Every structure is written in structure tokens, then in C-alpha cells.
Amino acid sequence: MRYASLLYYTLSLLAIPAILATSDTESSDDQAEYPMIGSIVTGLEDASSSNVATSSVAPVCIWDGIQVNDPEPISPLSAYSFEAMPQYSVGPGSIDSDVMHMVRRLSVKEKVGQMTQIEVGQLIDCNGELNRTAVEYWIDEWKVGSFLETPANHGGKYNWYSPKSFGAFTDAVQKIALERGSKIPVIWGLDSVRGANYVKGATIFPAGIATAATFNPQFAYDAGRIAAKDTRAAGVHWAFAPILDLAVNKLWSRTYENFGEDPYLASKMGAASVNGYQGDYKHDRSRVAACMKHFIGYGYPFDGSDRANRHIATHELLEYYVPPFKAAIDAGVATAMESYGVVNGEAVTISNYYLRKLLREQLGFKGMLVTDWGEINSQATMYHTAKDLTQATQLALERTSIDMSMVADDSSFANITAGLVKRGVVSDSRLDESVARILQLKKDLGLFKHPYTDQALASTVGSAQDIEAARDAVRESVTLLKNNNVLPLNKYEKVLFIGPTLNSTRYMGGGWNVHWQGPSDAEGDAIYQGFGDTIIKGVQQVTGSVPLYMPGVDIDGTTLIEIDTVIATAKLADKIVVGLGEKTYAENVGNIDSLVLPWQQLNLVYTLARKAKKPIVVVLVEGRPRRLGRIPDVAAAIVQAYLPGSYGGLPIAEILYGAVNPSGRLPYSYPATEAQASTTIWQSSYVSYNPQWAFGYGLGYSKVTYSNVTLSSNVLRPGEPITASVSVTNNGLYAQKESVMLFTHQQYRVGYAPELYRLRNFVKVDLAAGETKNVTLELKAEDLSFWDRDLKRRIEPAPVNVVINPYTQTDLIAVVDLVASANDVLEHL
């Protein structure tokens, strides 16, 4: 999602009364209350007595435009009860009869309004307050059924809205929606992609790429569950997550948002995330509707820039890019968001193949489909795949199953669609199809009975229990890439800490962190108001003493800071810890031309190595795998922290000092060269695979060995799964969490080059010091099926190597004979 609105543009809102005076009005029949709605206006006193400031007349503009902290205090409970990860899935199904009854009673304009989503900036006046006149305009004139985003990103007076203030804002809008227009509750959407990152005090979790590095789906579930609760506490019902794109081109600025490069890993994490966000969302009002995005192929931009065209053969799209979305659908995901841009030259937003045949007919998705920000209009204004906005809208409605347009700044979609129906170009039944799914979603979320914020949820936002859950995710995500016996650190050693990422909360968060682009330079860490920590603060907490810290270099890597003093101090230290990484960014703002870290960041390490001559530990705080120059040779230890979120400081310090044994594993192939930007573990086996560090790589402080790989059968047939067993031993002095991964490599595949490796199964086990466990993983013949160019999914018989952790262990290979008919088609598109 992007933000193209002018922050203070609210139609100037001074002209709205005149617009209303000249607008058409609907008949009394069209304005009637519907049986399902009836008495849902109970509890209006809660909304009307809220402390949200509103204006219903043209305001006198007195605000200087500088956002301030929300003064609303947050005093969360330390703990609360919650549901463990369920073993069932609840998802969208058929449309209820009362919903269809409501659909049939709506006018065309009301139906189109339900299909329209408007961003919150359109509802804010020049003083950063809710403009009631603007809300009434959108509800009365356009019957808008959905709003999105946080006021903090679009001209609101607070830089980070507390649950109570956010909830008062959404409740005030909801009250107007229930009293005016169609009298149907609105559904509010928000990018709660790593916790409720736009809600003040809510726990911000590690980015998706870090969650994937845990190889523990429980953390994807936890992040989703807590995000849902905190999002619902703000009066928001719909989270635009999880992000299920594959991180193929590592230049891509959205690499950190998803669950890595591997289809199976992303599928397992994505399904757990959906379960976390939704749970039993049809009954549990602490849950939200999840939204799988971005369908489809977004993660392989041709040149690495955001929204660049993608060249992906259709059978490869089905093989690698579709499985995470299929897993989310199987997990019951309620909504989906289509992707920006074009795949193989075809615009996704107006593609019948991608958004009806593949998504609906082949994958069986029954939920509600929303566009990304302004994507229908972009067909004409950006991609040149439509003559004008009218043709773009017509194509989207005729060819696809899009239900809602995230317009998000104007009435173009509503106005054009109503005109297309009036002229008979688009049928009324096409609107019914989408509106039914939208209203069913609102019913499933309980909005007809419980349209307002449950204020009790606010008492759990930012609880100690949630913070510990986020920290546990960091503890299992941090990946040790190199260690020449310099880690863990000793509390009694003299350690110098250098680098901008070690003393910053916002750099640990990255984008989608308080704001779309993260906190500004002016806001810095102060915006967190204590809801977070830093690595330096974590070191102090672990060691009990104030660490010696110096910036050394700016985050842009353009300037060394007091380098002579840094070197002189470093010479007196026993060891040096250097924090490198990236400034905050999201989407196209994060476009880069090279993966190499900024020069002066690299030069800082080179200079320290050359002049201080002390062991150097490099800690990477980065959203994508940046190339490190000579650092892999120069540094004695390298720690990948990814983007650990606002509470990542303490867990990282615990790992540095040995209180926690690192157990993260790389969820992508870490490039050594620019040419390897799109290298993956599943590329063709004949292509050289020599990244800096391989997918699945990672070290711990204990040496873990594997032995006795055995298969339950030396033949693998469809419908007859086998198991692979291996003994895993912790030979070290530390307890170790170990990710046991089962890969396959087909020795040959007639007509189609087999992949280097495909991840087929994994489990994370706890090993006490000296403990041995026998681990068993299942493998199915169907796992080795593949899509061919005729869009048939089938199995090609051949010997298959079953390999365990190939890049942390050696020679853990067993061979099974894959027996099947190459002519049997499992699936055909």
C-alpha cells in the first residue's frame, strides 16, 4: 500500500455543504433501515461521549501542522488469558440469506458505496481533528462502506494514536455511518503487519523476514493474535496482513515484510499468521479479518525496484509463488489484496486469469478481494493498460472478481461505476456479487451487532505478556552467521559499542513502524514514549553497567563521526561490537541500485580492524541482506538481527552475552555478489549456488551433530507417505533450539531441470546440553509434484535425495525411489 494523498487535503471541505446541496438524493425506500441492522445503535452514548474532537462547520485553521504526542495514558494489564494456536480454521463460506436480502434492498449508489474505500486523510480538517462534515459527505453523498489508515499518517494532530483516541475517532465515524446514508456499519482497515504498529503502546513485533528466521510458526501466530487484539482495541476490524510474497529479488524494498524466499516456509508461516489474526473471527471480537497480499508475483521485480514488472512463467508462478496463498486460503483467510503492477506484461488488477480464474476458480477463494492503493486508476495513470479511468474501472469489474476499490482519495470509482451500471455496461448482478461478500464479512466480524470499540481490549495493549512474546520471537530469530570464538561476550570484558543501529529503537523497527516510513529524523526515538528499547539499553540490563558507546558513523554511511577518538578508545577495549544497517523505509522510498552497504559503514569496520586490531563483532540491523564487502573476512563474528522491532534490544544483548543461545536460520540466500540478488535455494540445480550464506544457514553456541538418517521405506508412491528419521545431538554446554529441515533433490526430472533443493518439512526442537533426540519428518510423493508448461501438475518418477540441513551439516543424505506415472495429472489449470 502507498500513500498518494495530500495530508491536509480534505476536499478543502469548506465547499462540501454546497456539494451536498446540489447532490442527488435517494428515495425513502433506499434509505430504509434494514432488518439486520434494527437496533444496532445501542451503546451510542459510548461513541457520542468520546473525547474525539470533531468539527461540523468550516474550521478556523489555527494548527501549525506539527504533530504532538497523544497525551492519553496507557496502563496495560501485565497478563491476560488467550486461546492457544487452534487446530481448526474458520473462513468465509456461502452468503447468508439475510445478507442477500439486504443486498437486494440497496440502491445502485449504495452498492457502489459499499465497494468504495477512502483513506482517513479525507476526514481530517486543517487542525488535525475529525471533520464531521467530511464524514457526512462521504457517507451521505457516496454511501462509503469502508475507510482505512491511521490519522497519524494523514494529517492527524497526534503522531501516534493511543487505543482510546484511535477508537474514539473510529467510533465517531461509525456513529455517523449508522445514522446517515445507508445506515450500514463501515469496516475499517489498517496495516497492522507486525503487531498493531500504528497503535500507540502496542507491541511491535519483528518483521516478517525475522519471524520466518525462527522456523517456528508459533511466533507468526502470536504476532497475528496480538496484532488483532490491539487493532480491534482501536476500533479497526481488518488487518492488511499477512504478506505472502516471496522475497526473491533481494534488492526489493519489501523483502523484510514477508516470510522469505521459500514457498514451503512462507506457506507454514502464512497459515499460522492467518490463524493468529482471525482465530474464530465470526464469534471472537478480539480478532480481525486477515488479508493475504499481494496476489500475485510481487516479490520478483525485474530490476529490484518496487512495482517493477515481473517476468514469471505461469507454471513457475503456480509452482513457487502461489503455494503461500493457497495455504492462507486453506487456513480460512477472510480477505485478499491484489498486487501492484504487471506480471508478464499483464496488469494484475484487470486480469481475468489472475483475479477470477486462478484466485476464485482454481484456488477456491471465497472471501472479499480489495485492490491495493489506487490500483484501478493506476491502470490509466501509471501502467497505461487502460485508456482512461472509466475504461480501467469497467475492465476491473468485467474481467475480475474485485469487490472493493481502495480508491483511496476521491469519488472516481463510485461515480464511474454508478454510471457504468446506469448505461448497462456493467450489470447490477456484478455489484451484488461483490456487495454480498462485503456485507457477509461485516456480519462475520459482528459489526451489525457490535459496531463500536470494545474499550476493555485497550487494557491489554502493550501488556508485559505481549512484550515478552515479541522478545521471544527475537530470541529465536537472531541468526549467528560467523563466530571465531569471540561470542558470547563476557560481562567483565571491556567492550566498545559503535554504530547507529545499536542505540536506536526506530532503526530496529524499519518501515511500517509507528508511521508508513517509520519515525522521521525529527521524531527520532522520542516518539516511542518509552514503548521500546535499544541494544545499548539491553546491554545495560544484561551486564548491570552502562556500556561504552560511540556513534562512529551516520546511518546513511556518508560520514565517519569523531573517528580518531573512536580508534583511540577502541585500542583500549578487549572487543568491539559494531552495529550496521539501514535507515527506515517502505515501498518505493526504499529503492536501491546496489545491495552494498553504504561505504562509510563498511569503512568504519575496515578502519577499526586495521588500526585498533581488536576482535570485531558486527551486528546487522537490516530489512534485506545487504552486501558486506570484506566484512565477512575482517569481522570475527557476524550477527544477523534483521528488523527485530521496538523491543529487540534486550534479546539481542542476551544473545551477545550468552544468556540466550542463537537459533535463527536464514530464510533467504544471502547474496555475495550483485548477480546473486535473485539467487534462491530452489533455482535449477545446474546453476552455481554460492551465496555468502545459504538458505537455512545459522550457527549456535553449541555444536549440534546429526547421525543415523533413515527412511521408513526406500520407495515413495502417491498416497503412501514415508518418514525420515535422524538423531540430533547437542554436544555443547548450552541448551540449543535446533531447526531440523528436510529437503529433497530429484536426481533428474525428464524435460524439466530439477531444483537444487526444495524444503519439504521442518521442525524446531529443544536440546539440553548433551541431549540426543530422534526427529521424524514426513514426506509425501505429492510434495514432489510440479507444474509443467501445459499447466498440469504431475509427478516425474526418479531417484530422490532426501537431505537434512545441507548447509549446516554434511552427508546427511538418503535416497528414495519416487515411483509414479508421469502421465497421471494431479491438477490441471
Side-chain angles (χ1 to χ4, degrees):
M1 180 181 304
R2 67 182 175 89
Y3 305 99
S5 64
L6 299 174
L7 294 183
Y8 303 105
Y9 171 67
T10 343
L11 301 173
S12 296
L13 292 185
L14 305 179
I16 286 178
I19 296 173
L20 290 174
T22 59
S23 63
D24 294 333
T25 58
E26 300 296 326
S27 68
S28 59
D29 287 342
D30 291 333
Q31 293 294 337
E33 289 192 10
Y34 304 111
M36 279 188 62
I37 302 176
S39 60
I40 62 173
V41 194
T42 56
L44 283 183
E45 63 276 4
D46 292 336
S48 60
S49 62
S50 66
N51 62 359
V52 66
T54 66
S55 59
S56 58
V57 295
V60 177
C61 300
I62 59 174
W63 186 40
D64 61 5
I66 299 175
Q67 293 179 318
V68 297
N69 291 344
D70 184 343
E72 188 66 41
I74 296 178
S75 302
L77 300 171
S78 60
Y80 57 90
S81 60
F82 61 90
E83 180 188 24
M85 190 188 303
Q87 300 303 309
Y88 59 87
S89 296
V90 176
S94 59
I95 305 299
D96 294 340
S97 60
D98 56 352
V99 171
M100 286 309 306
H101 178 71
M102 182 186 297
V103 172
R104 287 191 290 268
R105 295 190 61 179
L106 295 178
S107 69
V108 168
K109 194 166 189 179
E110 287 174 317
K111 292 175 184 177
V112 174
Q114 288 299 306
M115 297 172 67
T116 300
Q117 187 176 55
I118 297 298
E119 55 92 2
V120 68
Q122 302 299 313
L123 311 181
I124 297 174
D125 68 18
C126 58
N127 291 314
E129 307 281 7
L130 176 67
N131 190 321
R132 182 181 177 86
T133 303
V135 181
E136 292 172 352
Y137 167 73
W138 287 108
I139 296 297
D140 284 343
E141 175 64 14
W142 297 107
K143 324 299 181 189
V144 167
S146 182
F147 295 98
L148 78 154
E149 254 283 33
T150 169
N153 280 343
H154 295 274
K157 66 179 180 179
Y158 297 137
N159 52 27
W160 202 17
Y161 279 69
S162 67
K164 187 172 182 180
S165 297
F166 207 142
F169 191 103
T170 57
D171 278 353
V173 174
Q174 192 71 280
K175 184 175 186 292
I176 294 171
L178 294 171
E179 292 176 343
R180 307 176 70 104
S182 302
K183 298 184 175 65
I184 295 176
V186 298
I187 182 172
W188 203 287
L190 194 65
D191 283 290
S192 293
V193 298
R194 40 199 303 214
N197 37 277
Y198 286 163
V199 178
K200 175 186 171 182
T203 303
I204 299 178
F205 275 73
I209 201 71
T211 304
T214 68
F215 278 80
N216 187 345
Q218 179 67 49
F219 293 117
Y221 174 83
D222 291 344
R225 176 186 62 80
I226 293 168
K229 168 183 66 68
D230 294 353
T231 300
R232 202 75 190 242
V236 175
H237 328 99
W238 182 16
F240 299 133
I243 297 91
L244 301 180
D245 310 300
L246 292 188
V248 176
N249 191 325
K250 312 309 185 298
L251 284 161
W252 190 36
S253 60
R254 307 195 74 165
T255 294
Y256 65 87
E257 297 182 44
N258 51 64
F259 296 122
E261 73 181 32
D262 183 77
Y264 183 78
L265 176 60
S267 296
K268 299 296 287 187
M269 292 292 178
S273 180
V274 168
N275 286 332
Y277 280 102
Q278 290 189 180
D280 185 3
Y281 73 104
K282 296 183 181 181
H283 298 95
D284 184 349
R285 301 308 168 213
S286 70
R287 303 299 183 121
V288 297
C291 182
M292 63 178 190
K293 64 180 189 183
H294 307 81
F295 193 84
I296 184 78
Y298 191 22
Y300 190 21
F302 183 69
D303 65 358
S305 63
D306 190 44
R307 300 174 72 163
N309 55 309
R310 286 90 76 188
H311 302 293
I312 307 170
T314 301
H315 64 288
E316 292 186 337
L317 191 83
L318 296 170
E319 180 70 24
Y320 306 113
Y321 298 85
V322 166
F325 292 93
K326 180 63 167 66
I329 292 169
D330 291 344
V333 69
T335 74
M337 183 183 295
E338 56 81 36
S339 174
Y340 282 132
V342 300
V343 176
N344 299 326
E346 182 180 10
V348 175
T349 307
I350 54 177
S351 169
N352 175 267
Y353 175 77
Y354 294 127
L355 298 188
R356 189 171 288 278
K357 185 173 182 180
L358 178 58
L359 180 63
R360 300 288 188 184
E361 297 173 14
Q362 182 75 8
L363 300 180
F365 177 62
K366 296 181 180 179
M368 196 266 279
L369 175 62
V370 65
T371 73
D372 210 328
W373 189 284
E375 271 298 271
I376 291 179
N377 287 356
S378 290
Q379 305 309 308
T381 61
M382 178 179 293
Y383 309 124
H384 309 294
T385 55
K387 178 177 65 176
D388 51 28
L389 301 188
T390 298
Q391 186 180 54
T393 305
Q394 178 182 338
L395 292 173
L397 293 170
E398 286 182 341
R399 294 181 175 181
T400 82
S401 63
I402 286 172
D403 298 314
M404 182 180 288
S405 174
M406 189 187 293
V407 186
D409 293 305
D410 58 46
S411 59
S412 58
F413 174 80
N415 190 39
I416 292 170
T417 301
L420 290 170
V421 175
K422 184 177 181 179
R423 297 196 304 274
V425 177
V426 172
S427 68
D428 196 23
S429 62
R430 171 63 182 88
L431 302 189
D432 290 352
E433 173 191 343
S434 288
V435 175
R437 285 194 284 256
I438 293 167
L439 295 183
Q440 184 66 53
L441 176 64
K442 292 183 178 184
K443 179 184 177 183
D444 290 344
L445 288 166
L447 297 186
F448 290 108
K449 292 183 178 179
H450 306 286
Y452 295 109
T453 303
D454 180 356
Q455 297 184 6
L457 289 175
S459 66
T460 69
V461 174
S463 72
Q465 180 175 284
D466 293 348
I467 293 170
E468 194 62 18
R471 283 176 167 158
D472 281 343
V474 180
R475 291 176 179 117
E476 292 198 29
S477 69
V478 171
T479 306
L480 182 61
L481 299 175
K482 180 181 180 180
N483 186 21
N484 288 349
N485 297 317
V486 296
L487 291 177
L489 302 173
N490 188 302
K491 294 181 181 180
Y492 303 104
E493 293 174 319
K494 186 175 182 180
V495 181
L496 173 62
F497 294 87
I498 309 171
T501 59
L502 297 183
N503 198 32
S504 171
T505 306
R506 65 176 175 134
Y507 294 150
M508 291 196 301
W512 310 102
N513 158 33
V514 179
H515 298 312
W516 173 42
Q517 294 293 330
S520 68
D521 290 342
E523 290 167 331
D525 280 2
I527 196 172
Y528 293 98
Q529 302 162 60
F531 298 106
D533 61 15
T534 66
I535 298 172
I536 291 299
K537 289 178 180 177
V539 170
Q540 182 173 351
Q541 190 169 342
V542 169
T543 63
S545 59
V546 178
L548 180 59
Y549 170 74
M550 306 180 77
V553 67
D554 66 311
I555 190 64
D556 293 315
T558 60
T559 306
L560 296 177
I561 301 172
E562 298 180 347
I563 189 62
D564 291 338
T565 303
V566 168
I567 293 169
T569 307
K571 289 179 178 179
L572 301 176
D574 297 316
K575 295 176 182 177
I576 305 166
V577 176
V578 182
L580 307 178
E582 298 183 295
K583 61 183 179 182
T584 66
Y585 59 84
E587 301 192 43
N588 61 332
V589 176
N591 286 346
I592 54 176
D593 296 324
S594 171
L595 279 170
V596 179
L597 271 176
W599 163 244
Q600 292 295 8
Q601 287 199 32
L602 301 178
N603 191 34
L604 173 64
V605 177
Y606 300 159
T607 302
L608 288 167
R610 186 173 66 255
K611 295 186 177 182
K613 301 186 185 304
K614 297 296 175 69
I616 296 174
V617 177
V618 171
V619 178
L620 301 171
V621 180
E622 57 184 9
R624 55 197 154 193
R626 301 298 295 264
R627 289 180 54 217
L628 303 175
R630 294 187 289 108
I631 285 178
D633 300 320
V634 169
I638 300 174
V639 176
Q640 173 61 288
Y642 309 97
L643 294 179
S646 56
Y647 288 100
L650 177 59
I652 293 170
E654 290 172 335
I655 288 170
L656 291 175
Y657 279 90
V660 171
N661 194 349
S663 64
R665 299 294 181 260
L666 286 178
Y668 47 52
S669 304
Y670 202 117
T673 68
E674 293 294 321
Q676 294 175 353
S678 296
T679 290
T680 65
I681 190 70
W682 42 265
Q683 68 188 28
S684 296
S685 60
Y686 70 88
V687 179
S688 174
Y689 182 77
N690 189 32
Q692 190 72 59
W693 295 286
F695 174 90
Y697 181 78
L699 306 172
Y701 294 147
S702 288
K703 181 175 178 57
V704 176
T705 57
Y706 290 61
S707 60
N708 303 323
V709 180
T710 59
L711 302 179
S712 61
S713 173
N714 60 3
V715 177
L716 181 60
R717 292 186 174 91
E720 301 177 16
I722 67 170
T723 59
S725 298
V726 63
S727 294
V728 186
T729 301
N730 179 0
N731 298 295
L733 301 177
Y734 296 85
Q736 179 77 52
K737 295 179 183 293
E738 178 71 6
S739 294
V740 183
M741 306 175 206
L742 186 155
F743 294 83
T744 62
H745 167 68
Q746 195 159 339
Q747 293 183 9
Y748 64 87
R749 192 166 63 189
V750 175
Y752 292 84
E755 299 96 337
L756 175 65
Y757 288 113
R758 289 295 299 272
L759 180 65
R760 304 299 186 185
N761 208 338
F762 65 86
V763 66
K764 198 165 191 176
V765 296
D766 292 312
L767 296 170
E771 183 180 12
T772 296
K773 284 187 176 179
N774 191 60
V775 179
T776 300
L777 295 169
E778 186 179 72
L779 177 64
K780 301 176 182 178
E782 291 81 359
D783 295 337
L784 284 98
S785 65
F786 71 102
W787 288 91
D788 66 19
R789 67 169 300 171
D790 296 321
L791 304 189
K792 296 177 181 179
R793 187 166 68 87
R794 57 188 182 84
I795 299 172
E796 190 69 44
V800 174
N801 294 347
V802 178
V803 188
I804 307 295
N805 292 31
Y807 294 104
T808 58
Q809 305 293 321
T810 57
D811 300 325
L812 292 173
I813 300 173
V815 179
V816 64
D817 193 16
L818 178 61
V819 177
S821 171
N823 296 320
D824 289 347
V825 177
L826 281 66
E827 202 172 354
H828 188 195
L829 185 60

